[in-house]
Structures are given as structure tokens and as C-alpha cells.
Amino acid sequence: MHPSPKHSVRDPSVTFEEYVYWAKLTRTEESTVNQAYLEAGKNGKISDRLAVQRLSEKHDLPSKQPVQVKGQAVAVPDDRDTAMMSRATQQDWAQAERALRTTSWGAVFFLITTDILGPMTTPWAFAQTGYGPGVALYTVFGALAAYSGYIIWKSYLGLDSDKYPLLTFGDIFYRLFGALPRHFINFMLSFQMMLFVATLILQSGQGISQISQGRDAIHGDGLCFVACMLIYMVAGLLVSQVKTLQRVAWLANFAVWVNMTILLICIGVVVHYPPNFKATQASYGKDFGPGPIRTFAAQPPEGLASGGSGFVASLNGLNQAVYSYGGCMAFVAFMAEMRHPMDFWKALLCGQAFIYIIYIFFGMFVYSFQGQFAFNPVMQGLSPYAFQTATNVLFLVSGIIAATLYSNIGFKVIYMDIFQDIFNFPPLTERKGKIAWAMCIPLFWIFAFLVAAAVPQLSFVSGFIGALFILTLTYTAPAVLALGFQLKSDAMIQGEEHFDPGTRTYSYVDTGMQRYWRAYKKRPVLNTFNVLYTAGGLVTTALGVYSSVEGLIGAFGGKSVATSFGCRPPV
């Protein structure tokens, strides 16, 4: 009998070539079903419910006509080809798997935008680097982030199938490199998502603190800063009970427009009002009190960058650029719930282009009017209390939606990697699994709150996350993934090698390093680029961690008035 879905996802007996074989069959079937759906749509509007029904009902195995796998014609197995599973069981599992995939590429566009779009930090990044280096950083890292997303998409299409579905970013590494890299990647991903939530708790806690201080506050009187973060944490863990990304997508759509409203308000305010000197002085030290506003085409001179001096300030600006594009490691979770994952490229292209344009325009515009006093996040650097409060309230709404997305993905990775695999917890689709989710998700938020309260220096915390986690998972890890997937794919020789679904064996022509060197020489330019891409990511990670740690040391050395678990806010 065929192994259960739980074990089939990570069955050590399954080879790379078998994953590729079944993935090709699934992609062929999806294309057939999607084409039939589009043809039906020409005759009238098809509701989402009917779309899901059609895709579920039609998701049987393809006909026995041969399909092309790596250019080689292979027959679709049936009962006579393999005794391992019956056709009826295949259909049941395929329909069950398809029933979970209900998200369209349009909904994924909003998920990508909510996941990645973070323009609130871009003016501060430009204040550390100047116009020229800032544009260069956001352009280069934006292009590389799009390339990383493309790598993940191609790898997903090549390895995911109804029989062996991909569920997390780490699962791709398991199928290419084994169990240990998967655990490492999943740990990095879940910990990064938790730190994302911690950053949002810190940002929103600053917002609640500013609101509570009132219009005429001079010395920051208001709610205790830790209490402000605690309020947000409680609200977040209640909203995060939403378990499916399809439901989060509806909220994500709303969050995108809320963020755009914040940006428009900030653009209008910075033109007519000075920066919030009270906030800059409280967070960055007395040197950033009231004074003339200055902007620079290149690196700002000594003392005019709040993120440090000279090289360290530039690296902290780089960290924010990296942080701004972080999120592609969540793409596997998005595609795992898509009706037609081959359409993911549309969401990726539209999302990355939209995000890049917003970053460049908004960052340069606000920097032009606030100069070295640009604050992180930008809405808390507005001086009029009414606009400051309005944008803070709006950010509380969009922030809690983004935090729900992060906690959803982060905890699902933890749940599947630890609770299900090690402690045999039930799947989240079962009643006991839902109860386990409701009981365990608060722990995720509590841990994030403890991190935010312990290190209340937002710019340097987000920079540290960007350097150690986002840069590794958004740039370095996909480069390694591209190299591994490309070499294993190119090592397959059409006509001479083939996979037998009956015996689950593959006829290799050669093995070992000879096989991979042969594959490397098929695409030497692309493979060399991915090697250099990996090395560059590792070097940049080391420099980014150094600069963010230096910034944290300076902040704890007395520049910021905020202290660990203290009541004094950094705004």
C-alpha cells in the first residue's frame, strides 16, 4: 500500500528522479484542468466555489498517453503498472490534495505584497546611504530577490506533486540535500518569522505609546512602553487563530491599501511640516535634536547618519534594503495553496515591480524633506500629532494582518517540523490539530513579545534580522538551491536514463562527482553565477551582522532612552 501523505512528503527512499517524474505528471494534469476551466470561463463567469469544485472533480490521473519528463516519453502508470497503490486511492488523495489548493495568483499577489512590502523603513535607509547608494542598493537587491523567487518557483514546479506535495521551504532542501539542511532551513525560517512578529510588536508598541502620550506631551508621559507592546501582542494572538492562507489573503488585500493610505498621508505631511525631533532625539541621541535638514547624493558625512558613522552606517542602510525585500522563503507556502502554481510567476512579477517602485519613490521623497532626521518607522517621525495618530492607528491594522501572516507561516513550519514529525501531533486539518493550534500559537506570540521588550531598538533589531536571517534565506539559500536543482536536473540524460514507476528505480549512467561535473559543464555560466551569488551572500551576511551589532552596542550605550522591559519609549 502507498505510504500515508505524512510520510510520503519526506520519505527517504524517494529519489530526486522520482520526485521529478511525479511532478511532471501533476503539472501536465494541472495544465489540462486549468485550460478546461479557462475555456468554460469564456462562456460565462465562474464563481470561486465552482472553480474549486471543477478542479477537485477533474483532478483524476491523466490518460495513459505518454508525457514528457526531461524530454523523455514515459507512460502514466495504472493498476497494471504498479501494485503499490490503486487508481481509486490515487484519485482520493489527489482530490483531497487539490481541495486544499484554492488560492488564485491574484490573491497570492496581495500575499506577496503584504509579506514583502515594508516602505516604512526606506527613508531611514536612504538617510544612512544617500541618494545614489540607496537607489543602487534597492535596485540590486530587488533584482536579486526577484531572481531568488524565480528559483524557488522553478524548483517547486520541478519537485511538487499530488503524491509528494511540497509544504515548506525546507522541504525543497530535503529533496535535494537531505534531512539536516531541511531542519536548519526550517529553524531559520520559523525563527525569522518570529522575529518579524517581534519587530511588528516593537513598531506597533511605539505607535500605541505615541498615541497615548497625547497632543501636548513633552516628556513622553503616557502608557508604559512594555504595556503598549503587551496590548498589541494580546490582540495579535487572537487574530492569528486564522489558519488558512486563503482567509489571510482577504485580510492581506485590505492591508495593502491601508499601507498605501499611510504612504500618501506621510507624503503630504513631510512637505508641510518639520520632522519629529522629539522622536529622533529620544531614539538616536542628542545630536539628532532640532537642526538644519541636509541630504546627500553619496554617503553622508560623519555624525549625520543615525545608523552609525561612515562604513557602519552604510551597512546598516544595506541591512534595511535587505530587510525590505525579505519574504521569498514563504513562497512555497503560497504555492502549496494555489489552484494553479504555474501562474505564480504573474504574482511574483507584479508584486516585485510594484514593491520596487514604491520603495524608490517613497524613500527618496521623504528623505528629500526630512534628510538625516528620517525616522524608522516613517509615520512615527511625523510631527503633527493628528497625522501621527492617524497613521499609527492605520499601521496597527495593517501590522496585525502582516503579523498574522508571519505567525501563520512560522508556526506551521514549527508544527510540521517538530510537533508532527517528532511528537506525532495530529494534522492541522483534524479537530485535535485545530485545538493544538489554538493552544500553541499564543506561545509563538509570547516569545516574540519577550524579544521585542528585551531589545527595544527597532532600526538595529530589523537590521540584525535582515543580515543574519533574511539575507541568508532570501539570497544565499536560493542560490544553493538553484545550484543543487540545476545540477541534479542536468545530470539526467534523456534517452539513456529513465525512471520505472513500477519498481521505483532509476537507471543511472554514472554517479558521484563525475555525474555532477558533467552537469556543471552543461550550463557553466549559470552555475558559476550561482556559486558567486552564494559566496557574495555569505560575505554580505557577515558584514551586515557586524554593523547591526555595532549599532546595538551604541544604542545600549546611552544613545536611546529605551531600556529592556522599561516604561520609557524610544519615541
Side-chain angles (χ1 to χ4, degrees), residues 229-256:
M229 290 190 285
L230 186 62
I231 291 170
Y232 187 80
M233 181 206 74
V234 173
L237 64 86
L238 292 176
V239 177
S240 63
Q241 291 299 324
V242 177
K243 288 182 283 296
T244 64
L245 289 179
Q246 175 66 16
R247 293 178 180 176
V248 176
W250 289 98
L251 296 173
N253 188 334
F254 177 68
V256 171

mmCIF file of all heavy atoms in Angstrom, residues 229-256:
data_model
loop_
_atom_site.group_PDB
_atom_site.id
_atom_site.type_symbol
_atom_site.label_atom_id
_atom_site.label_comp_id
_atom_site.label_asym_id
_atom_site.label_seq_id
_atom_site.Cartn_x
_atom_site.Cartn_y
_atom_site.Cartn_z
ATOM 1 N N MET A 229 3.304 47.324 24.158
ATOM 2 C CA MET A 229 3.643 46.130 23.369
ATOM 3 C C MET A 229 2.799 44.941 23.793
ATOM 4 O O MET A 229 2.415 44.105 22.968
ATOM 5 C CB MET A 229 5.140 45.820 23.510
ATOM 6 C CG MET A 229 6.044 46.828 22.814
ATOM 7 S SD MET A 229 7.783 46.304 22.752
ATOM 8 C CE MET A 229 8.261 46.603 24.449
ATOM 9 N N LEU A 230 2.507 44.849 25.087
ATOM 10 C CA LEU A 230 1.693 43.746 25.595
ATOM 11 C C LEU A 230 0.278 43.800 25.028
ATOM 12 O O LEU A 230 -0.308 42.766 24.671
ATOM 13 C CB LEU A 230 1.656 43.789 27.124
ATOM 14 C CG LEU A 230 0.955 42.623 27.827
ATOM 15 C CD1 LEU A 230 1.675 41.317 27.524
ATOM 16 C CD2 LEU A 230 0.913 42.862 29.329
ATOM 17 N N ILE A 231 -0.280 45.007 24.919
ATOM 18 C CA ILE A 231 -1.618 45.185 24.346
ATOM 19 C C ILE A 231 -1.652 44.664 22.915
ATOM 20 O O ILE A 231 -2.562 43.938 22.509
ATOM 21 C CB ILE A 231 -2.027 46.675 24.391
ATOM 22 C CG1 ILE A 231 -2.255 47.121 25.839
ATOM 23 C CG2 ILE A 231 -3.288 46.922 23.556
ATOM 24 C CD1 ILE A 231 -2.416 48.621 25.985
ATOM 25 N N TYR A 232 -0.639 45.024 22.147
ATOM 26 C CA TYR A 232 -0.587 44.595 20.751
ATOM 27 C C TYR A 232 -0.409 43.088 20.651
ATOM 28 O O TYR A 232 -0.997 42.436 19.779
ATOM 29 C CB TYR A 232 0.564 45.313 20.044
ATOM 30 C CG TYR A 232 0.593 45.072 18.557
ATOM 31 C CD1 TYR A 232 -0.248 45.780 17.699
ATOM 32 C CD2 TYR A 232 1.456 44.139 17.996
ATOM 33 C CE1 TYR A 232 -0.223 45.568 16.332
ATOM 34 C CE2 TYR A 232 1.492 43.920 16.630
ATOM 35 C CZ TYR A 232 0.649 44.640 15.806
ATOM 36 O OH TYR A 232 0.675 44.406 14.458
ATOM 37 N N MET A 233 0.409 42.521 21.528
ATOM 38 C CA MET A 233 0.636 41.071 21.499
ATOM 39 C C MET A 233 -0.664 40.311 21.725
ATOM 40 O O MET A 233 -0.966 39.341 21.026
ATOM 41 C CB MET A 233 1.653 40.679 22.562
ATOM 42 C CG MET A 233 1.962 39.190 22.591
ATOM 43 S SD MET A 233 2.539 38.600 24.201
ATOM 44 C CE MET A 233 1.005 38.629 25.141
ATOM 45 N N VAL A 234 -1.471 40.746 22.703
ATOM 46 C CA VAL A 234 -2.734 40.072 23.004
ATOM 47 C C VAL A 234 -3.679 40.147 21.806
ATOM 48 O O VAL A 234 -4.304 39.146 21.422
ATOM 49 C CB VAL A 234 -3.395 40.681 24.257
ATOM 50 C CG1 VAL A 234 -4.791 40.101 24.466
ATOM 51 C CG2 VAL A 234 -2.536 40.432 25.487
ATOM 52 N N ALA A 235 -3.761 41.325 21.188
ATOM 53 C CA ALA A 235 -4.623 41.474 20.013
ATOM 54 C C ALA A 235 -4.133 40.576 18.874
ATOM 55 O O ALA A 235 -4.932 39.932 18.180
ATOM 56 C CB ALA A 235 -4.646 42.928 19.560
ATOM 57 N N GLY A 236 -2.823 40.489 18.688
ATOM 58 C CA GLY A 236 -2.272 39.688 17.612
ATOM 59 C C GLY A 236 -2.506 38.207 17.766
ATOM 60 O O GLY A 236 -2.870 37.520 16.812
ATOM 61 N N LEU A 237 -2.345 37.689 18.968
ATOM 62 C CA LEU A 237 -2.524 36.244 19.133
ATOM 63 C C LEU A 237 -3.987 35.823 19.003
ATOM 64 O O LEU A 237 -4.288 34.674 18.687
ATOM 65 C CB LEU A 237 -1.920 35.758 20.453
ATOM 66 C CG LEU A 237 -2.483 36.244 21.789
ATOM 67 C CD1 LEU A 237 -3.651 35.399 22.247
ATOM 68 C CD2 LEU A 237 -1.380 36.187 22.860
ATOM 69 N N LEU A 238 -4.897 36.780 19.211
ATOM 70 C CA LEU A 238 -6.320 36.481 18.982
ATOM 71 C C LEU A 238 -6.615 36.410 17.484
ATOM 72 O O LEU A 238 -7.292 35.486 17.016
ATOM 73 C CB LEU A 238 -7.205 37.538 19.654
ATOM 74 C CG LEU A 238 -7.201 37.553 21.184
ATOM 75 C CD1 LEU A 238 -8.034 38.716 21.704
ATOM 76 C CD2 LEU A 238 -7.735 36.236 21.747
ATOM 77 N N VAL A 239 -6.102 37.378 16.717
ATOM 78 C CA VAL A 239 -6.338 37.397 15.271
ATOM 79 C C VAL A 239 -5.636 36.230 14.588
ATOM 80 O O VAL A 239 -6.124 35.689 13.588
ATOM 81 C CB VAL A 239 -5.863 38.732 14.670
ATOM 82 C CG1 VAL A 239 -6.030 38.735 13.155
ATOM 83 C CG2 VAL A 239 -6.639 39.899 15.273
ATOM 84 N N SER A 240 -4.505 35.797 15.129
ATOM 85 C CA SER A 240 -3.708 34.759 14.481
ATOM 86 C C SER A 240 -4.325 33.372 14.576
ATOM 87 O O SER A 240 -3.716 32.402 14.125
ATOM 88 C CB SER A 240 -2.300 34.718 15.090
ATOM 89 O OG SER A 240 -2.361 34.364 16.463
ATOM 90 N N GLN A 241 -5.523 33.260 15.120
ATOM 91 C CA GLN A 241 -6.210 31.968 15.124
ATOM 92 C C GLN A 241 -6.661 31.574 13.714
ATOM 93 O O GLN A 241 -7.064 30.434 13.485
ATOM 94 C CB GLN A 241 -7.419 32.010 16.074
ATOM 95 C CG GLN A 241 -7.050 32.111 17.546
ATOM 96 C CD GLN A 241 -6.233 30.931 18.031
ATOM 97 O OE1 GLN A 241 -6.435 29.803 17.611
ATOM 98 N NE2 GLN A 241 -5.280 31.192 18.920
ATOM 99 N N VAL A 242 -6.619 32.517 12.764
ATOM 100 C CA VAL A 242 -6.913 32.195 11.362
ATOM 101 C C VAL A 242 -5.833 31.246 10.854
ATOM 102 O O VAL A 242 -4.643 31.541 10.945
ATOM 103 C CB VAL A 242 -6.943 33.479 10.495
ATOM 104 C CG1 VAL A 242 -7.177 33.121 9.036
ATOM 105 C CG2 VAL A 242 -8.023 34.420 11.000
ATOM 106 N N LYS A 243 -6.242 30.098 10.295
ATOM 107 C CA LYS A 243 -5.273 29.059 9.962
ATOM 108 C C LYS A 243 -4.950 28.936 8.478
ATOM 109 O O LYS A 243 -3.878 28.478 8.121
ATOM 110 C CB LYS A 243 -5.773 27.692 10.481
ATOM 111 C CG LYS A 243 -5.698 27.557 11.999
ATOM 112 C CD LYS A 243 -6.161 26.194 12.453
ATOM 113 C CE LYS A 243 -7.675 26.081 12.420
ATOM 114 N NZ LYS A 243 -8.343 26.988 13.347
ATOM 115 N N THR A 244 -5.849 29.301 7.564
ATOM 116 C CA THR A 244 -5.596 29.104 6.139
ATOM 117 C C THR A 244 -5.174 30.411 5.471
ATOM 118 O O THR A 244 -5.680 31.481 5.804
ATOM 119 C CB THR A 244 -6.857 28.570 5.419
ATOM 120 O OG1 THR A 244 -7.890 29.558 5.486
ATOM 121 C CG2 THR A 244 -7.334 27.283 6.063
ATOM 122 N N LEU A 245 -4.246 30.292 4.503
ATOM 123 C CA LEU A 245 -3.777 31.477 3.796
ATOM 124 C C LEU A 245 -4.853 32.075 2.912
ATOM 125 O O LEU A 245 -4.816 33.260 2.585
ATOM 126 C CB LEU A 245 -2.550 31.110 2.949
ATOM 127 C CG LEU A 245 -1.267 30.805 3.728
ATOM 128 C CD1 LEU A 245 -0.154 30.426 2.771
ATOM 129 C CD2 LEU A 245 -0.858 31.973 4.591
ATOM 130 N N GLN A 246 -5.841 31.272 2.483
ATOM 131 C CA GLN A 246 -6.925 31.810 1.676
ATOM 132 C C GLN A 246 -7.682 32.881 2.465
ATOM 133 O O GLN A 246 -8.033 33.933 1.931
ATOM 134 C CB GLN A 246 -7.875 30.673 1.261
ATOM 135 C CG GLN A 246 -9.124 31.147 0.514
ATOM 136 C CD GLN A 246 -8.814 31.748 -0.847
ATOM 137 O OE1 GLN A 246 -7.721 31.551 -1.367
ATOM 138 N NE2 GLN A 246 -9.751 32.460 -1.425
ATOM 139 N N ARG A 247 -7.908 32.626 3.759
ATOM 140 C CA ARG A 247 -8.592 33.621 4.588
ATOM 141 C C ARG A 247 -7.692 34.810 4.883
ATOM 142 O O ARG A 247 -8.144 35.954 4.913
ATOM 143 C CB ARG A 247 -9.049 32.961 5.889
ATOM 144 C CG ARG A 247 -10.134 31.908 5.677
ATOM 145 C CD ARG A 247 -10.528 31.245 6.980
ATOM 146 N NE ARG A 247 -11.562 30.232 6.766
ATOM 147 C CZ ARG A 247 -12.040 29.453 7.727
ATOM 148 N NH1 ARG A 247 -11.571 29.542 8.957
ATOM 149 N NH2 ARG A 247 -12.989 28.565 7.450
ATOM 150 N N VAL A 248 -6.391 34.541 5.093
ATOM 151 C CA VAL A 248 -5.464 35.635 5.330
ATOM 152 C C VAL A 248 -5.361 36.527 4.098
ATOM 153 O O VAL A 248 -5.155 37.737 4.200
ATOM 154 C CB VAL A 248 -4.076 35.088 5.720
ATOM 155 C CG1 VAL A 248 -3.068 36.217 5.887
ATOM 156 C CG2 VAL A 248 -4.169 34.274 7.004
ATOM 157 N N ALA A 249 -5.515 35.947 2.892
ATOM 158 C CA ALA A 249 -5.406 36.717 1.655
ATOM 159 C C ALA A 249 -6.447 37.826 1.588
ATOM 160 O O ALA A 249 -6.175 38.914 1.070
ATOM 161 C CB ALA A 249 -5.543 35.790 0.444
ATOM 162 N N TRP A 250 -7.650 37.567 2.090
ATOM 163 C CA TRP A 250 -8.671 38.614 2.112
ATOM 164 C C TRP A 250 -8.220 39.774 2.997
ATOM 165 O O TRP A 250 -8.400 40.944 2.653
ATOM 166 C CB TRP A 250 -9.991 38.051 2.624
ATOM 167 C CG TRP A 250 -10.656 37.125 1.662
ATOM 168 C CD1 TRP A 250 -10.616 35.756 1.651
ATOM 169 C CD2 TRP A 250 -11.452 37.499 0.518
ATOM 170 N NE1 TRP A 250 -11.330 35.259 0.588
ATOM 171 C CE2 TRP A 250 -11.868 36.302 -0.125
ATOM 172 C CE3 TRP A 250 -11.848 38.719 -0.023
ATOM 173 C CZ2 TRP A 250 -12.647 36.299 -1.261
ATOM 174 C CZ3 TRP A 250 -12.629 38.711 -1.168
ATOM 175 C CH2 TRP A 250 -13.026 37.522 -1.774
ATOM 176 N N LEU A 251 -7.620 39.454 4.134
ATOM 177 C CA LEU A 251 -7.093 40.499 5.004
ATOM 178 C C LEU A 251 -5.894 41.188 4.360
ATOM 179 O O LEU A 251 -5.722 42.400 4.484
ATOM 180 C CB LEU A 251 -6.681 39.893 6.352
ATOM 181 C CG LEU A 251 -7.797 39.293 7.216
ATOM 182 C CD1 LEU A 251 -7.208 38.588 8.430
ATOM 183 C CD2 LEU A 251 -8.777 40.373 7.654
ATOM 184 N N ALA A 252 -5.054 40.405 3.657
ATOM 185 C CA ALA A 252 -3.872 40.965 3.017
ATOM 186 C C ALA A 252 -4.252 41.998 1.967
ATOM 187 O O ALA A 252 -3.579 43.022 1.809
ATOM 188 C CB ALA A 252 -3.043 39.849 2.388
ATOM 189 N N ASN A 253 -5.308 41.744 1.212
ATOM 190 C CA ASN A 253 -5.802 42.697 0.226
ATOM 191 C C ASN A 253 -6.091 44.040 0.897
ATOM 192 O O ASN A 253 -5.660 45.101 0.427
ATOM 193 C CB ASN A 253 -7.085 42.136 -0.412
ATOM 194 C CG ASN A 253 -7.555 42.952 -1.583
ATOM 195 O OD1 ASN A 253 -7.277 44.141 -1.667
ATOM 196 N ND2 ASN A 253 -8.286 42.330 -2.488
ATOM 197 N N PHE A 254 -6.775 43.982 2.010
ATOM 198 C CA PHE A 254 -7.104 45.201 2.759
ATOM 199 C C PHE A 254 -5.843 45.871 3.295
ATOM 200 O O PHE A 254 -5.712 47.106 3.261
ATOM 201 C CB PHE A 254 -8.055 44.835 3.904
ATOM 202 C CG PHE A 254 -8.427 45.987 4.793
ATOM 203 C CD1 PHE A 254 -9.207 47.028 4.322
ATOM 204 C CD2 PHE A 254 -7.990 46.021 6.112
ATOM 205 C CE1 PHE A 254 -9.542 48.094 5.140
ATOM 206 C CE2 PHE A 254 -8.326 47.080 6.935
ATOM 207 C CZ PHE A 254 -9.106 48.114 6.453
ATOM 208 N N ALA A 255 -4.879 45.072 3.775
ATOM 209 C CA ALA A 255 -3.657 45.619 4.362
ATOM 210 C C ALA A 255 -2.845 46.414 3.349
ATOM 211 O O ALA A 255 -2.230 47.431 3.689
ATOM 212 C CB ALA A 255 -2.807 44.497 4.950
ATOM 213 N N VAL A 256 -2.809 45.942 2.097
ATOM 214 C CA VAL A 256 -2.052 46.654 1.064
ATOM 215 C C VAL A 256 -2.580 48.072 0.892
ATOM 216 O O VAL A 256 -1.813 49.043 0.830
ATOM 217 C CB VAL A 256 -2.115 45.885 -0.274
ATOM 218 C CG1 VAL A 256 -1.525 46.728 -1.404
ATOM 219 C CG2 VAL A 256 -1.381 44.556 -0.167
#
